[in-house]
Amino acid sequence: MSTPRKPLPTPDGVTAPYWESVKAHAMQVQHCNACGQTIFYPRGLCPNCFSSDLAWQPVSGKGKLHAFTIVHRHPNPAFAADAPYVVALVELDEGVRLMSNLIGVEADPEHVKVGMPVEVVYEDVTEAVTLPKFRPA
Ligand code: ZN
């Protein structure tokens, strides 16, 4: 029996530019031209002022660990093979937060700390899909 595969994102009309930017290893997030808000996750309207005048802008890929948990067991074998691993809520320097994994800490996950500086790394999962992960900066 083969190990099940992890689910992958299914880009749509709103999220496709984000996934394309990640695939290009140059993450972009939305910016509202009406009120200046930086926006994540991708949306059709600004959550601050409801304007549809949104533009994609590159981000630094740098940020800090806002919150995290260490997963020691997972019922899905596709994820269980990675345990222990860190599920991270990262706050980018641009002010938005995204859920990802903190990698490069598997040998010593107990030393992961809220507020630690992190930076994006791009994991090419398939030819079509790249996922943004983070490592200590
Ligand atoms: Zn706005």
PDB file of all heavy atoms in Angstrom, residues 77-114:
ATOM      1  N   PRO A  77      -1.371   9.249   7.369  1.00  0.00           N
ATOM      2  CA  PRO A  77       0.014   8.786   7.182  1.00  0.00           C
ATOM      3  C   PRO A  77       0.866   9.733   6.348  1.00  0.00           C
ATOM      4  O   PRO A  77       2.087   9.773   6.519  1.00  0.00           O
ATOM      5  CB  PRO A  77      -0.162   7.433   6.476  1.00  0.00           C
ATOM      6  CG  PRO A  77      -1.540   6.993   6.808  1.00  0.00           C
ATOM      7  CD  PRO A  77      -2.350   8.249   6.955  1.00  0.00           C
ATOM      8  N   ALA A  78       0.242  10.503   5.458  1.00  0.00           N
ATOM      9  CA  ALA A  78       1.019  11.431   4.626  1.00  0.00           C
ATOM     10  C   ALA A  78       1.688  12.498   5.479  1.00  0.00           C
ATOM     11  O   ALA A  78       2.759  12.997   5.134  1.00  0.00           O
ATOM     12  CB  ALA A  78       0.116  12.084   3.585  1.00  0.00           C
ATOM     13  N   PHE A  79       1.045  12.869   6.573  1.00  0.00           N
ATOM     14  CA  PHE A  79       1.613  13.871   7.472  1.00  0.00           C
ATOM     15  C   PHE A  79       2.381  13.219   8.622  1.00  0.00           C
ATOM     16  O   PHE A  79       3.342  13.781   9.128  1.00  0.00           O
ATOM     17  CB  PHE A  79       0.502  14.772   8.032  1.00  0.00           C
ATOM     18  CG  PHE A  79      -0.113  15.679   7.008  1.00  0.00           C
ATOM     19  CD1 PHE A  79      -1.228  15.273   6.285  1.00  0.00           C
ATOM     20  CD2 PHE A  79       0.417  16.930   6.747  1.00  0.00           C
ATOM     21  CE1 PHE A  79      -1.796  16.095   5.320  1.00  0.00           C
ATOM     22  CE2 PHE A  79      -0.141  17.759   5.801  1.00  0.00           C
ATOM     23  CZ  PHE A  79      -1.256  17.342   5.074  1.00  0.00           C
ATOM     24  N   ALA A  80       1.936  12.041   9.029  1.00  0.00           N
ATOM     25  CA  ALA A  80       2.560  11.369  10.177  1.00  0.00           C
ATOM     26  C   ALA A  80       4.038  11.118   9.940  1.00  0.00           C
ATOM     27  O   ALA A  80       4.842  11.167  10.876  1.00  0.00           O
ATOM     28  CB  ALA A  80       1.834  10.055  10.464  1.00  0.00           C
ATOM     29  N   ALA A  81       4.404  10.879   8.692  1.00  0.00           N
ATOM     30  CA  ALA A  81       5.805  10.590   8.379  1.00  0.00           C
ATOM     31  C   ALA A  81       6.713  11.772   8.694  1.00  0.00           C
ATOM     32  O   ALA A  81       7.917  11.596   8.900  1.00  0.00           O
ATOM     33  CB  ALA A  81       5.938  10.208   6.911  1.00  0.00           C
ATOM     34  N   ASP A  82       6.148  12.981   8.734  1.00  0.00           N
ATOM     35  CA  ASP A  82       6.955  14.189   8.989  1.00  0.00           C
ATOM     36  C   ASP A  82       7.092  14.505  10.480  1.00  0.00           C
ATOM     37  O   ASP A  82       7.891  15.348  10.867  1.00  0.00           O
ATOM     38  CB  ASP A  82       6.336  15.402   8.303  1.00  0.00           C
ATOM     39  CG  ASP A  82       6.384  15.302   6.796  1.00  0.00           C
ATOM     40  OD1 ASP A  82       7.201  14.506   6.282  1.00  0.00           O
ATOM     41  OD2 ASP A  82       5.607  16.018   6.135  1.00  0.00           O
ATOM     42  N   ALA A  83       6.285  13.910  11.326  1.00  0.00           N
ATOM     43  CA  ALA A  83       6.271  14.261  12.751  1.00  0.00           C
ATOM     44  C   ALA A  83       7.594  13.909  13.425  1.00  0.00           C
ATOM     45  O   ALA A  83       8.180  12.869  13.104  1.00  0.00           O
ATOM     46  CB  ALA A  83       5.116  13.537  13.438  1.00  0.00           C
ATOM     47  N   PRO A  84       8.072  14.747  14.359  1.00  0.00           N
ATOM     48  CA  PRO A  84       7.434  15.996  14.761  1.00  0.00           C
ATOM     49  C   PRO A  84       7.716  17.119  13.756  1.00  0.00           C
ATOM     50  O   PRO A  84       8.807  17.209  13.223  1.00  0.00           O
ATOM     51  CB  PRO A  84       8.096  16.307  16.099  1.00  0.00           C
ATOM     52  CG  PRO A  84       9.467  15.697  15.986  1.00  0.00           C
ATOM     53  CD  PRO A  84       9.297  14.476  15.125  1.00  0.00           C
ATOM     54  N   TYR A  85       6.689  17.939  13.507  1.00  0.00           N
ATOM     55  CA  TYR A  85       6.872  19.101  12.637  1.00  0.00           C
ATOM     56  C   TYR A  85       6.151  20.301  13.236  1.00  0.00           C
ATOM     57  O   TYR A  85       5.309  20.153  14.120  1.00  0.00           O
ATOM     58  CB  TYR A  85       6.416  18.812  11.198  1.00  0.00           C
ATOM     59  CG  TYR A  85       4.948  18.481  11.044  1.00  0.00           C
ATOM     60  CD1 TYR A  85       4.018  19.479  10.787  1.00  0.00           C
ATOM     61  CD2 TYR A  85       4.500  17.161  11.148  1.00  0.00           C
ATOM     62  CE1 TYR A  85       2.678  19.176  10.624  1.00  0.00           C
ATOM     63  CE2 TYR A  85       3.164  16.851  10.990  1.00  0.00           C
ATOM     64  CZ  TYR A  85       2.252  17.865  10.724  1.00  0.00           C
ATOM     65  OH  TYR A  85       0.923  17.566  10.576  1.00  0.00           O
ATOM     66  N   VAL A  86       6.520  21.485  12.764  1.00  0.00           N
ATOM     67  CA  VAL A  86       6.015  22.726  13.342  1.00  0.00           C
ATOM     68  C   VAL A  86       5.011  23.374  12.394  1.00  0.00           C
ATOM     69  O   VAL A  86       5.359  23.697  11.250  1.00  0.00           O
ATOM     70  CB  VAL A  86       7.159  23.717  13.650  1.00  0.00           C
ATOM     71  CG1 VAL A  86       6.603  25.016  14.220  1.00  0.00           C
ATOM     72  CG2 VAL A  86       8.157  23.083  14.616  1.00  0.00           C
ATOM     73  N   VAL A  87       3.780  23.548  12.855  1.00  0.00           N
ATOM     74  CA  VAL A  87       2.786  24.344  12.143  1.00  0.00           C
ATOM     75  C   VAL A  87       2.916  25.759  12.676  1.00  0.00           C
ATOM     76  O   VAL A  87       2.844  25.985  13.890  1.00  0.00           O
ATOM     77  CB  VAL A  87       1.359  23.806  12.383  1.00  0.00           C
ATOM     78  CG1 VAL A  87       0.326  24.726  11.739  1.00  0.00           C
ATOM     79  CG2 VAL A  87       1.236  22.382  11.841  1.00  0.00           C
ATOM     80  N   ALA A  88       3.152  26.690  11.763  1.00  0.00           N
ATOM     81  CA  ALA A  88       3.517  28.047  12.162  1.00  0.00           C
ATOM     82  C   ALA A  88       2.543  29.075  11.615  1.00  0.00           C
ATOM     83  O   ALA A  88       2.132  29.001  10.453  1.00  0.00           O
ATOM     84  CB  ALA A  88       4.920  28.364  11.654  1.00  0.00           C
ATOM     85  N   LEU A  89       2.192  30.057  12.455  1.00  0.00           N
ATOM     86  CA  LEU A  89       1.493  31.247  11.990  1.00  0.00           C
ATOM     87  C   LEU A  89       2.551  32.339  11.923  1.00  0.00           C
ATOM     88  O   LEU A  89       3.079  32.775  12.953  1.00  0.00           O
ATOM     89  CB  LEU A  89       0.357  31.635  12.941  1.00  0.00           C
ATOM     90  CG  LEU A  89      -0.492  32.830  12.500  1.00  0.00           C
ATOM     91  CD1 LEU A  89      -1.173  32.557  11.150  1.00  0.00           C
ATOM     92  CD2 LEU A  89      -1.547  33.145  13.552  1.00  0.00           C
ATOM     93  N   VAL A  90       2.893  32.731  10.701  1.00  0.00           N
ATOM     94  CA  VAL A  90       3.981  33.686  10.467  1.00  0.00           C
ATOM     95  C   VAL A  90       3.396  35.053  10.165  1.00  0.00           C
ATOM     96  O   VAL A  90       2.458  35.176   9.367  1.00  0.00           O
ATOM     97  CB  VAL A  90       4.860  33.223   9.281  1.00  0.00           C
ATOM     98  CG1 VAL A  90       5.854  34.300   8.873  1.00  0.00           C
ATOM     99  CG2 VAL A  90       5.586  31.927   9.646  1.00  0.00           C
ATOM    100  N   GLU A  91       3.945  36.076  10.812  1.00  0.00           N
ATOM    101  CA  GLU A  91       3.573  37.448  10.482  1.00  0.00           C
ATOM    102  C   GLU A  91       4.682  38.043   9.638  1.00  0.00           C
ATOM    103  O   GLU A  91       5.819  38.214  10.105  1.00  0.00           O
ATOM    104  CB  GLU A  91       3.367  38.288  11.748  1.00  0.00           C
ATOM    105  CG  GLU A  91       2.908  39.712  11.417  1.00  0.00           C
ATOM    106  CD  GLU A  91       2.456  40.477  12.650  1.00  0.00           C
ATOM    107  OE1 GLU A  91       1.571  39.964  13.363  1.00  0.00           O
ATOM    108  OE2 GLU A  91       3.006  41.561  12.897  1.00  0.00           O
ATOM    109  N   LEU A  92       4.366  38.333   8.383  1.00  0.00           N
ATOM    110  CA  LEU A  92       5.354  38.935   7.494  1.00  0.00           C
ATOM    111  C   LEU A  92       5.636  40.367   7.925  1.00  0.00           C
ATOM    112  O   LEU A  92       4.802  41.020   8.564  1.00  0.00           O
ATOM    113  CB  LEU A  92       4.846  38.926   6.048  1.00  0.00           C
ATOM    114  CG  LEU A  92       4.647  37.546   5.412  1.00  0.00           C
ATOM    115  CD1 LEU A  92       4.095  37.696   4.001  1.00  0.00           C
ATOM    116  CD2 LEU A  92       5.957  36.757   5.400  1.00  0.00           C
ATOM    117  N   ASP A  93       6.808  40.873   7.551  1.00  0.00           N
ATOM    118  CA  ASP A  93       7.160  42.260   7.870  1.00  0.00           C
ATOM    119  C   ASP A  93       6.121  43.230   7.299  1.00  0.00           C
ATOM    120  O   ASP A  93       5.945  44.335   7.817  1.00  0.00           O
ATOM    121  CB  ASP A  93       8.546  42.610   7.313  1.00  0.00           C
ATOM    122  CG  ASP A  93       9.671  41.962   8.112  1.00  0.00           C
ATOM    123  OD1 ASP A  93       9.387  41.384   9.193  1.00  0.00           O
ATOM    124  OD2 ASP A  93      10.821  42.022   7.647  1.00  0.00           O
ATOM    125  N   GLU A  94       5.407  42.813   6.247  1.00  0.00           N
ATOM    126  CA  GLU A  94       4.379  43.653   5.628  1.00  0.00           C
ATOM    127  C   GLU A  94       3.089  43.664   6.449  1.00  0.00           C
ATOM    128  O   GLU A  94       2.137  44.361   6.111  1.00  0.00           O
ATOM    129  CB  GLU A  94       4.108  43.173   4.202  1.00  0.00           C
ATOM    130  CG  GLU A  94       5.249  43.463   3.236  1.00  0.00           C
ATOM    131  CD  GLU A  94       6.432  42.480   3.360  1.00  0.00           C
ATOM    132  OE1 GLU A  94       6.313  41.465   4.100  1.00  0.00           O
ATOM    133  OE2 GLU A  94       7.476  42.743   2.730  1.00  0.00           O
ATOM    134  N   GLY A  95       3.019  42.856   7.517  1.00  0.00           N
ATOM    135  CA  GLY A  95       1.895  42.959   8.447  1.00  0.00           C
ATOM    136  C   GLY A  95       0.832  41.882   8.322  1.00  0.00           C
ATOM    137  O   GLY A  95      -0.066  41.819   9.158  1.00  0.00           O
ATOM    138  N   VAL A  96       0.901  41.049   7.296  1.00  0.00           N
ATOM    139  CA  VAL A  96      -0.114  40.009   7.159  1.00  0.00           C
ATOM    140  C   VAL A  96       0.404  38.699   7.746  1.00  0.00           C
ATOM    141  O   VAL A  96       1.615  38.491   7.859  1.00  0.00           O
ATOM    142  CB  VAL A  96      -0.536  39.803   5.685  1.00  0.00           C
ATOM    143  CG1 VAL A  96      -1.266  41.030   5.173  1.00  0.00           C
ATOM    144  CG2 VAL A  96       0.663  39.464   4.814  1.00  0.00           C
ATOM    145  N   ARG A  97      -0.527  37.841   8.130  1.00  0.00           N
ATOM    146  CA  ARG A  97      -0.165  36.552   8.727  1.00  0.00           C
ATOM    147  C   ARG A  97      -0.602  35.416   7.817  1.00  0.00           C
ATOM    148  O   ARG A  97      -1.683  35.475   7.223  1.00  0.00           O
ATOM    149  CB  ARG A  97      -0.844  36.393  10.089  1.00  0.00           C
ATOM    150  CG  ARG A  97      -0.333  37.380  11.106  1.00  0.00           C
ATOM    151  CD  ARG A  97      -1.077  37.256  12.411  1.00  0.00           C
ATOM    152  NE  ARG A  97      -0.652  38.322  13.323  1.00  0.00           N
ATOM    153  CZ  ARG A  97      -1.344  38.729  14.362  1.00  0.00           C
ATOM    154  NH1 ARG A  97      -2.500  38.159  14.665  1.00  0.00           N
ATOM    155  NH2 ARG A  97      -0.878  39.699  15.131  1.00  0.00           N
ATOM    156  N   LEU A  98       0.254  34.395   7.734  1.00  0.00           N
ATOM    157  CA  LEU A  98      -0.118  33.209   6.981  1.00  0.00           C
ATOM    158  C   LEU A  98       0.312  31.946   7.701  1.00  0.00           C
ATOM    159  O   LEU A  98       1.288  31.945   8.442  1.00  0.00           O
ATOM    160  CB  LEU A  98       0.425  33.246   5.549  1.00  0.00           C
ATOM    161  CG  LEU A  98       1.925  33.228   5.326  1.00  0.00           C
ATOM    162  CD1 LEU A  98       2.227  32.610   3.971  1.00  0.00           C
ATOM    163  CD2 LEU A  98       2.488  34.643   5.338  1.00  0.00           C
ATOM    164  N   MET A  99      -0.467  30.900   7.480  1.00  0.00           N
ATOM    165  CA  MET A  99      -0.194  29.598   8.085  1.00  0.00           C
ATOM    166  C   MET A  99       0.743  28.824   7.190  1.00  0.00           C
ATOM    167  O   MET A  99       0.577  28.794   5.979  1.00  0.00           O
ATOM    168  CB  MET A  99      -1.512  28.843   8.247  1.00  0.00           C
ATOM    169  CG  MET A  99      -1.428  27.644   9.149  1.00  0.00           C
ATOM    170  SD  MET A  99      -1.203  28.096  10.871  1.00  0.00           S
ATOM    171  CE  MET A  99      -2.874  28.612  11.307  1.00  0.00           C
ATOM    172  N   SER A 100       1.752  28.215   7.798  1.00  0.00           N
ATOM    173  CA  SER A 100       2.741  27.468   7.028  1.00  0.00           C
ATOM    174  C   SER A 100       3.414  26.464   7.959  1.00  0.00           C
ATOM    175  O   SER A 100       2.863  26.125   9.011  1.00  0.00           O
ATOM    176  CB  SER A 100       3.762  28.445   6.432  1.00  0.00           C
ATOM    177  OG  SER A 100       4.725  27.760   5.651  1.00  0.00           O
ATOM    178  N   ASN A 101       4.580  26.022   7.564  1.00  0.00           N
ATOM    179  CA  ASN A 101       5.416  25.168   8.412  1.00  0.00           C
ATOM    180  C   ASN A 101       6.733  25.872   8.643  1.00  0.00           C
ATOM    181  O   ASN A 101       7.241  26.550   7.761  1.00  0.00           O
ATOM    182  CB  ASN A 101       5.709  23.814   7.753  1.00  0.00           C
ATOM    183  CG  ASN A 101       4.480  22.950   7.618  1.00  0.00           C
ATOM    184  OD1 ASN A 101       4.114  22.596   6.509  1.00  0.00           O
ATOM    185  ND2 ASN A 101       3.831  22.613   8.707  1.00  0.00           N
ATOM    186  N   LEU A 102       7.284  25.693   9.838  1.00  0.00           N
ATOM    187  CA  LEU A 102       8.653  26.124  10.118  1.00  0.00           C
ATOM    188  C   LEU A 102       9.525  24.896   9.921  1.00  0.00           C
ATOM    189  O   LEU A 102       9.323  23.873  10.589  1.00  0.00           O
ATOM    190  CB  LEU A 102       8.755  26.653  11.545  1.00  0.00           C
ATOM    191  CG  LEU A 102      10.117  27.239  11.931  1.00  0.00           C
ATOM    192  CD1 LEU A 102      10.396  28.510  11.124  1.00  0.00           C
ATOM    193  CD2 LEU A 102      10.155  27.545  13.426  1.00  0.00           C
ATOM    194  N   ILE A 103      10.482  24.981   9.005  1.00  0.00           N
ATOM    195  CA  ILE A 103      11.328  23.830   8.684  1.00  0.00           C
ATOM    196  C   ILE A 103      12.764  24.110   9.120  1.00  0.00           C
ATOM    197  O   ILE A 103      13.116  25.248   9.455  1.00  0.00           O
ATOM    198  CB  ILE A 103      11.257  23.473   7.192  1.00  0.00           C
ATOM    199  CG1 ILE A 103      11.795  24.615   6.331  1.00  0.00           C
ATOM    200  CG2 ILE A 103       9.836  23.106   6.795  1.00  0.00           C
ATOM    201  CD1 ILE A 103      11.926  24.252   4.860  1.00  0.00           C
ATOM    202  N   GLY A 104      13.562  23.073   9.109  1.00  0.00           N
ATOM    203  CA  GLY A 104      14.956  23.215   9.524  1.00  0.00           C
ATOM    204  C   GLY A 104      15.117  23.181  11.031  1.00  0.00           C
ATOM    205  O   GLY A 104      16.190  23.457  11.547  1.00  0.00           O
ATOM    206  N   VAL A 105      14.050  22.852  11.756  1.00  0.00           N
ATOM    207  CA  VAL A 105      14.098  22.813  13.217  1.00  0.00           C
ATOM    208  C   VAL A 105      13.693  21.434  13.737  1.00  0.00           C
ATOM    209  O   VAL A 105      13.483  21.261  14.935  1.00  0.00           O
ATOM    210  CB  VAL A 105      13.176  23.891  13.842  1.00  0.00           C
ATOM    211  CG1 VAL A 105      13.675  25.285  13.477  1.00  0.00           C
ATOM    212  CG2 VAL A 105      11.735  23.709  13.390  1.00  0.00           C
ATOM    213  N   GLU A 106      13.582  20.465  12.816  1.00  0.00           N
ATOM    214  CA  GLU A 106      13.065  19.143  13.187  1.00  0.00           C
ATOM    215  C   GLU A 106      13.931  18.468  14.259  1.00  0.00           C
ATOM    216  O   GLU A 106      13.417  17.743  15.104  1.00  0.00           O
ATOM    217  CB  GLU A 106      12.981  18.244  11.952  1.00  0.00           C
ATOM    218  CG  GLU A 106      11.958  18.704  10.912  1.00  0.00           C
ATOM    219  CD  GLU A 106      12.446  19.849  10.037  1.00  0.00           C
ATOM    220  OE1 GLU A 106      13.632  20.218  10.116  1.00  0.00           O
ATOM    221  OE2 GLU A 106      11.635  20.385   9.268  1.00  0.00           O
ATOM    222  N   ALA A 107      15.227  18.739  14.222  1.00  0.00           N
ATOM    223  CA  ALA A 107      16.119  18.100  15.178  1.00  0.00           C
ATOM    224  C   ALA A 107      15.946  18.670  16.584  1.00  0.00           C
ATOM    225  O   ALA A 107      16.289  18.019  17.561  1.00  0.00           O
ATOM    226  CB  ALA A 107      17.571  18.246  14.724  1.00  0.00           C
ATOM    227  N   ASP A 108      15.415  19.884  16.653  1.00  0.00           N
ATOM    228  CA  ASP A 108      15.343  20.563  17.937  1.00  0.00           C
ATOM    229  C   ASP A 108      14.099  21.458  18.025  1.00  0.00           C
ATOM    230  O   ASP A 108      14.208  22.649  18.299  1.00  0.00           O
ATOM    231  CB  ASP A 108      16.615  21.416  18.115  1.00  0.00           C
ATOM    232  CG  ASP A 108      16.968  21.596  19.581  1.00  0.00           C
ATOM    233  OD1 ASP A 108      16.308  20.982  20.440  1.00  0.00           O
ATOM    234  OD2 ASP A 108      17.908  22.369  19.847  1.00  0.00           O
ATOM    235  N   PRO A 109      12.903  20.898  17.795  1.00  0.00           N
ATOM    236  CA  PRO A 109      11.709  21.749  17.731  1.00  0.00           C
ATOM    237  C   PRO A 109      11.372  22.419  19.051  1.00  0.00           C
ATOM    238  O   PRO A 109      10.655  23.421  19.063  1.00  0.00           O
ATOM    239  CB  PRO A 109      10.605  20.770  17.295  1.00  0.00           C
ATOM    240  CG  PRO A 109      11.101  19.422  17.677  1.00  0.00           C
ATOM    241  CD  PRO A 109      12.593  19.485  17.566  1.00  0.00           C
ATOM    242  N   GLU A 110      11.899  21.916  20.169  1.00  0.00           N
ATOM    243  CA  GLU A 110      11.576  22.520  21.464  1.00  0.00           C
ATOM    244  C   GLU A 110      12.196  23.907  21.626  1.00  0.00           C
ATOM    245  O   GLU A 110      11.837  24.644  22.536  1.00  0.00           O
ATOM    246  CB  GLU A 110      12.044  21.606  22.603  1.00  0.00           C
ATOM    247  CG  GLU A 110      11.446  20.208  22.557  1.00  0.00           C
ATOM    248  CD  GLU A 110       9.916  20.182  22.651  1.00  0.00           C
ATOM    249  OE1 GLU A 110       9.348  21.063  23.316  1.00  0.00           O
ATOM    250  OE2 GLU A 110       9.299  19.296  22.041  1.00  0.00           O
ATOM    251  N   HIS A 111      13.151  24.272  20.757  1.00  0.00           N
ATOM    252  CA  HIS A 111      13.765  25.589  20.850  1.00  0.00           C
ATOM    253  C   HIS A 111      13.107  26.636  19.956  1.00  0.00           C
ATOM    254  O   HIS A 111      13.577  27.760  19.860  1.00  0.00           O
ATOM    255  CB  HIS A 111      15.268  25.498  20.548  1.00  0.00           C
ATOM    256  CG  HIS A 111      16.049  24.879  21.673  1.00  0.00           C
ATOM    257  ND1 HIS A 111      16.355  23.528  21.704  1.00  0.00           N
ATOM    258  CD2 HIS A 111      16.531  25.406  22.825  1.00  0.00           C
ATOM    259  CE1 HIS A 111      17.019  23.266  22.825  1.00  0.00           C
ATOM    260  NE2 HIS A 111      17.127  24.377  23.525  1.00  0.00           N
ATOM    261  N   VAL A 112      11.995  26.262  19.344  1.00  0.00           N
ATOM    262  CA  VAL A 112      11.228  27.220  18.559  1.00  0.00           C
ATOM    263  C   VAL A 112      10.546  28.191  19.516  1.00  0.00           C
ATOM    264  O   VAL A 112       9.969  27.773  20.517  1.00  0.00           O
ATOM    265  CB  VAL A 112      10.193  26.480  17.685  1.00  0.00           C
ATOM    266  CG1 VAL A 112       9.302  27.463  16.949  1.00  0.00           C
ATOM    267  CG2 VAL A 112      10.904  25.550  16.704  1.00  0.00           C
ATOM    268  N   LYS A 113      10.646  29.494  19.235  1.00  0.00           N
ATOM    269  CA  LYS A 113      10.093  30.505  20.135  1.00  0.00           C
ATOM    270  C   LYS A 113       9.216  31.503  19.376  1.00  0.00           C
ATOM    271  O   LYS A 113       9.578  31.931  18.274  1.00  0.00           O
ATOM    272  CB  LYS A 113      11.229  31.304  20.803  1.00  0.00           C
ATOM    273  CG  LYS A 113      12.163  30.455  21.643  1.00  0.00           C
ATOM    274  CD  LYS A 113      11.516  30.019  22.950  1.00  0.00           C
ATOM    275  CE  LYS A 113      12.492  29.244  23.810  1.00  0.00           C
ATOM    276  NZ  LYS A 113      11.951  28.004  24.328  1.00  0.00           N
ATOM    277  N   VAL A 114       8.106  31.909  20.008  1.00  0.00           N
ATOM    278  CA  VAL A 114       7.281  32.979  19.458  1.00  0.00           C
ATOM    279  C   VAL A 114       8.140  34.231  19.331  1.00  0.00           C
ATOM    280  O   VAL A 114       8.910  34.556  20.241  1.00  0.00           O
ATOM    281  CB  VAL A 114       6.053  33.237  20.360  1.00  0.00           C
ATOM    282  CG1 VAL A 114       5.384  34.562  20.020  1.00  0.00           C
ATOM    283  CG2 VAL A 114       5.058  32.093  20.238  1.00  0.00           C
TER     284      VAL A 114
END
